[in-house]
């Protein structure tokens, strides 16, 4: 439904091409940045292991609020060891931001994650980052990315991807390398324009495919996924439809949306959004369905390998 003012996208890139810096800039442009948390660390590098390795290994949701739109951005690990996690992220989103260094061009991890996004039928927006670098060659990198699309059997629509050029470090993005350098708003507008709104039915009963599990110190397991129908709020009855056909009835203890850096309590979460739901069900699993009615059928889910890194 095109009137849903939500955009769900994954951000994919080779390590060091600027994903983290870009998301920080977009958060600032959307006005949801939380200064107290920003002082010590950047938005997406919060895990200890990430800090140690200096790479982003855990998918993390974040949301930009802009002119009435909620843009959910899900980070993805670039390393091939985390392929299963990348695939799960791709199932929650409706498009991807492909970040490529304007000097180095596409690299191994660019290819790895782009292949998965294209195979999932997602539409990319290509972000040529670091054009401030003295040896940057955005036009050459533009052509290299298109060659990669061809090589990976992109559809015509995917090949038609819009490009954005800029510097996450310096905080500007433009639709064309020759435009005036102002801020990151042109990229946010491209996201709203080119990433399709989620397909979800607000009038249907609540349903969500559990795509990830997170942990909250107070309410335990939090099932994360895209709401495919209806809406959900604290206190609602909810059924977990298991893969083996059994059902567990429970009640929603808390819902989470991802806005700025922190997960926040939310009044209610509507169709098409990516949310976390805590329902006091201990052994809820990835691939199972949360439903607002007992008589619904589980949502189809293609089995993929379990995650290599255990979620907290
Ligand atoms: P990630 O691994 O993709 O998350 O990359 P980071 O955002 O951590 O960036 C990697 C390095 O590139 C950091 O040192 C950033 O400061 C730097 N960087 C990010 N964006 C830009 C940019 O637009 N221009 C320049 N010159 N450096 C950048």
């Amino acid at each position: 439904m095109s009137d849903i003012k939500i955009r769900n996208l994954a951000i994919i890139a080779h390590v060091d091409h600027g994903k983290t810096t870009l998301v920080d800039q977009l958060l600032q442009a959307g006005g949801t940045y939380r200064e107290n948390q920003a002082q010590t660390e950047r938005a997406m590098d919060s895990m200890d292991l990430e800090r140690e390795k200096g790479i982003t290994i855990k998918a993390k949701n974040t949301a930009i609020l802009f002119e009435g739109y909620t843009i959910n951005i899900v980070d993805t690990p670039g390393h091939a060891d985390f392929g299963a996690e990348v695939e799960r992220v791709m199932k929650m989103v409706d498009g991807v931001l492909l970040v490529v260094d304007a000097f180095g061009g596409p690299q191994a991890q660019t290819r790895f994650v782009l292949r998965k996004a294209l195979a999932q039928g997602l539409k990319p927006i290509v972000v040529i980052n670091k054009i401030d670098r003295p040896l940057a060659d955005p036009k050459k990198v533009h052509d290299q990315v298109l060659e990669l699309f061809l090589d990976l059997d992109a559809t015509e629509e995917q090949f038609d991807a819009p490009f954005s050029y800029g510097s996450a470090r310096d905080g500007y993005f433009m639709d064309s390398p020759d435009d005036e350098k102002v801020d990151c708003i042109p990229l946010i507008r491209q996201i709203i324009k080119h990433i399709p709104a989620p397909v979800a039915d607000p009038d249907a009963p609540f349903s969500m495919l559990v795509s990830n599990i997170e942990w909250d110190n107070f309410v335990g397991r939090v099932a994360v996924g895209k709401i495919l129908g209806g809406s959900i709020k604290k206190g609602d009855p909810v059924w977990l439809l298991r893969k083996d056909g059994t059902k567990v009835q429970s009640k929603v203890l808390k819902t989470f949306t991802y806005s700025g850096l922190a997960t926040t309590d939310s009044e209610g979460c509507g169709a098409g959004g990516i949310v976390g739901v805590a329902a006091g069900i201990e052994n809820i699993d990835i691939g199972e369905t949360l439903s607002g009615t007992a008589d619904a059928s589980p949502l189809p889910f293609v089995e993929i390998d379990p995650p290599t890194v255990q979620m907290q």
Side-chain angles (χ1 to χ4, degrees):
M1 253 156 274
S2 55
D3 57 345
I4 296 180
K5 291 182 97 174
I6 295 174
R7 297 293 181 270
N8 300 316
L9 53 102
I11 184 163
I12 61 183
H14 189 79
V15 63
D16 265 358
H17 282 198
K19 253 187 337 185
T20 314
T21 313
L22 173 62
V23 169
D24 283 350
Q25 287 290 351
L26 293 176
L27 282 170
Q28 289 185 43
T32 60
Y33 208 63
R34 311 210 168 183
E35 280 182 7
N36 53 339
Q37 283 157 313
Q39 283 163 3
T40 47
E41 55 189 349
R42 295 175 304 162
M44 297 180 112
D45 274 339
S46 57
M47 280 178 78
D48 286 344
L49 186 56
E50 283 178 86
R51 269 199 295 269
E52 251 170 50
K53 290 190 170 175
I55 56 165
T56 305
I57 59 157
K58 188 189 173 192
K60 243 191 165 140
N61 290 340
T62 192
I64 299 159
L65 308 175
F66 184 77
E67 293 183 353
Y69 285 85
T70 300
I71 302 171
N72 289 310
I73 299 190
V74 189
D75 190 21
T76 52
H79 200 274
D81 284 356
F82 305 106
E85 197 173 340
V86 173
E87 280 182 29
R88 287 206 310 275
V89 169
M90 298 300 171
K91 287 175 197 298
M92 283 198 290
V93 299
D94 306 293
V96 294
L97 273 193
L98 175 71
V99 183
V100 186
D101 185 321
F103 168 65
Q107 302 292 323
Q109 291 167 18
T110 318
R111 187 184 177 92
F112 168 74
V113 279
L114 179 62
R115 181 198 293 279
K116 292 204 180 282
L118 294 177
Q120 193 64 34
L122 296 171
K123 222 185 138 177
I125 293 177
V126 183
V127 179
I128 310 269
N129 188 33
K130 306 198 189 186
I131 66 164
D132 61 276
R133 290 180 70 176
L135 294 173
D137 191 344
K139 290 195 171 129
K140 180 173 151 205
V141 171
H142 166 276
D143 293 349
Q144 288 173 337
V145 170
L146 287 185
E147 272 167 38
L148 182 60
F149 275 35
L150 283 179
D151 204 29
L152 296 176
D153 292 327
T155 64
E156 225 169 280
E157 201 199 0
Q158 289 169 330
F159 189 77
D160 249 353
F163 277 68
S164 185
Y165 303 84
S167 167
R169 191 194 67 181
D170 298 342
Y172 60 84
F173 281 93
M174 307 157 297
D175 297 355
S176 150
D178 306 320
D179 289 353
E180 198 192 339
K181 302 178 172 76
V182 183
D183 55 26
C184 293
I185 306 274
L187 178 52
I188 296 181
R189 293 203 189 281
Q190 278 198 335
I191 291 169
I192 292 170
K193 185 170 168 203
H194 295 290
I195 305 286
V199 178
D201 182 358
D203 302 321
F206 170 74
S207 67
M208 184 186 104
L209 182 68
V210 180
S211 299
N212 216 347
I213 302 284
E214 302 219 353
W215 183 261
D216 177 85
N217 284 341
F218 295 101
V219 289
R221 284 199 155 202
V222 179
V224 179
K226 178 158 76 171
I227 299 182
L228 299 172
S231 60
I232 193 159
K233 61 182 185 320
K234 187 175 168 178
D236 283 354
V238 74
W239 283 262
L240 177 70
L241 313 177
R242 292 201 180 286
K243 287 178 212 165
D244 64 6
T246 58
K247 296 172 187 182
V248 184
Q249 185 182 0
S250 192
K251 204 169 78 169
V252 177
L253 301 174
K254 199 170 178 181
T255 55
F256 301 80
T257 54
Y258 295 86
S259 193
L261 298 172
T263 51
T264 53
D265 241 334
S266 116
E267 284 283 287
C269 308
I274 294 177
V275 289
V277 179
I281 307 170
E282 271 318 306
N283 46 357
I284 196 163
D285 255 339
I286 287 165
E288 295 179 327
T289 301
L290 275 181
S291 171
T293 61
D295 52 0
S297 310
L299 294 159
F301 192 75
V302 182
E303 266 322 318
I304 48 177
D305 297 336
T308 323
V309 170
Q310 200 56 47
M311 296 295 118
Q312 289 179 312

